Amino acid sequence: MGNLLCCVQVDQSTVAIKETFGKFDEILEPGCHCLPWFLGSQVAGHLSLRVQQLDVRCETKTKDDVFVNVVASVQYRALANQAGDAFYKLSNTRGQIQAYVFDVIRASVPKLKLDDAFEQKNDIAKAVEEELEKAMSNYGYEIVQTLIVDIEPDEHVKRAMNEINAAQRLRMAANEKAEAEKILQIKRAEGRQRQAIVDGLRDSVLGFSVNVPGTTAKDVMDMVLVTQYFDTMKEIGASSKSSAVFIPHGPGAVRDVATQIREGLLQASSLN
């Protein structure tokens, strides 16, 4: 009926290309239009202005000789004010976009190692988008967005990478476990050493008190602690890695140190 009445309908988000006797005439916007066919007017075709998406899978090789499949997603649309160029200049829009994507990816990825390619996905996508925008604008198309949605290494490479990661994690776990066991053994040895020191001091005090009449356990303990105090001072001074240490020194200081050590040993003995 529309053809008989010389009327055509153009849907929303679509434009129609009007020709007169086979020559481009004008762009028909959405709505109803009168085309007197007997005067040579006709609709050559329709062009969608909606955003379209094209997924492109490109196989290439990285700098470290790993074959990968790079999946790019390109979103594009025809420009209403350049609908004539979009309709007449390109016969295969999707094929043209795919060719440009192939060209940029195969020029960019071989410059990168596999790990760098994963890290620089956004840079690759930006390079593809810039090249497409520059090329497709001449044909009446706008590149809305370009994404690198996936980089898939060869299956054997992927399996090897997973095995390497698993081995690294197992090695880290083994190191952590060994370090924990080492710390535990050191703490146990330190505990046994402290206990042995306490037992040795106790035996020394008791033996000295028995063999030297008139001395008390406190006298012997003070003498032992003062001896250990001077031995410690000697070790600190003889160490090549020791830095300056300022401590109070004198009879009163020695007595205070002896009291503190004795109280600490008594507390340790009571805990054990």
Side-chain angles (χ1 to χ4, degrees), residues 1-8 32-38:
M1 181 64 69
N3 290 333
L4 293 176
L5 298 177
C6 301
C7 294
V8 295
C32 183
H33 301 271
C34 180
L35 269 74
W37 56 266
F38 52 86

Side-chain angles (χ1 to χ4, degrees), residues 68-167:
V68 294
N69 283 309
V70 181
V71 182
S73 180
V74 181
Q75 297 176 350
Y76 65 98
R77 65 183 174 190
L79 297 172
N81 59 345
Q82 292 181 261
D85 293 336
F87 185 81
Y88 287 106
K89 285 188 176 182
L90 281 180
S91 60
N92 186 355
T93 305
R94 300 172 72 87
Q96 186 78 1
I97 292 176
Q98 180 173 307
Y100 280 111
V101 172
F102 279 179
D103 183 62
V104 176
I105 289 179
R106 287 174 175 167
S108 302
V109 175
K111 299 177 182 178
L112 305 172
K113 293 184 178 180
L114 181 59
D115 292 340
D116 296 334
F118 281 104
E119 294 175 1
Q120 299 182 31
K121 284 171 58 177
N122 292 338
D123 294 336
I124 299 173
K126 184 177 180 182
V128 173
E129 183 172 336
E130 289 177 351
E131 186 66 23
L132 283 174
E133 185 68 36
K134 182 171 60 176
M136 298 304 294
S137 62
N138 297 324
Y139 300 109
Y141 282 91
E142 175 190 14
I143 304 302
V144 178
Q145 191 173 26
T146 302
L147 301 173
I148 300 298
V149 296
D150 199 9
I151 297 178
E152 299 176 354
D154 180 79
E155 190 62 33
H156 298 292
V157 176
K158 191 185 299 185
R159 189 181 304 113
M161 292 174 63
N162 291 334
E163 291 175 356
I164 291 173
N165 289 334

Side-chain angles (χ1 to χ4, degrees), residues 184-208:
L184 184 60
Q185 293 294 334
I186 291 174
K187 294 300 180 183
R188 287 175 178 172
E190 289 176 350
R192 288 192 295 268
Q193 183 182 27
R194 286 193 295 269
Q195 184 63 45
I197 292 172
V198 171
D199 293 341
L201 287 174
R202 183 181 63 246
D203 295 340
S204 298
V205 170
L206 292 177
F208 197 91

Side-chain angles (χ1 to χ4, degrees), residues 211-254:
N211 295 326
V212 181
T215 59
T216 64
K218 179 178 181 303
D219 295 333
V220 179
M221 191 67 169
D222 288 343
M223 183 182 67
V224 172
L225 293 177
V226 169
T227 302
Q228 290 186 340
Y229 172 79
F230 283 113
D231 289 342
T232 302
M233 293 288 294
K234 179 181 177 181
E235 291 179 1
I236 293 176
S239 175
S240 61
K241 296 182 179 180
S242 62
S243 56
V245 179
F246 297 94
I247 57 176
H249 184 69
V254 173

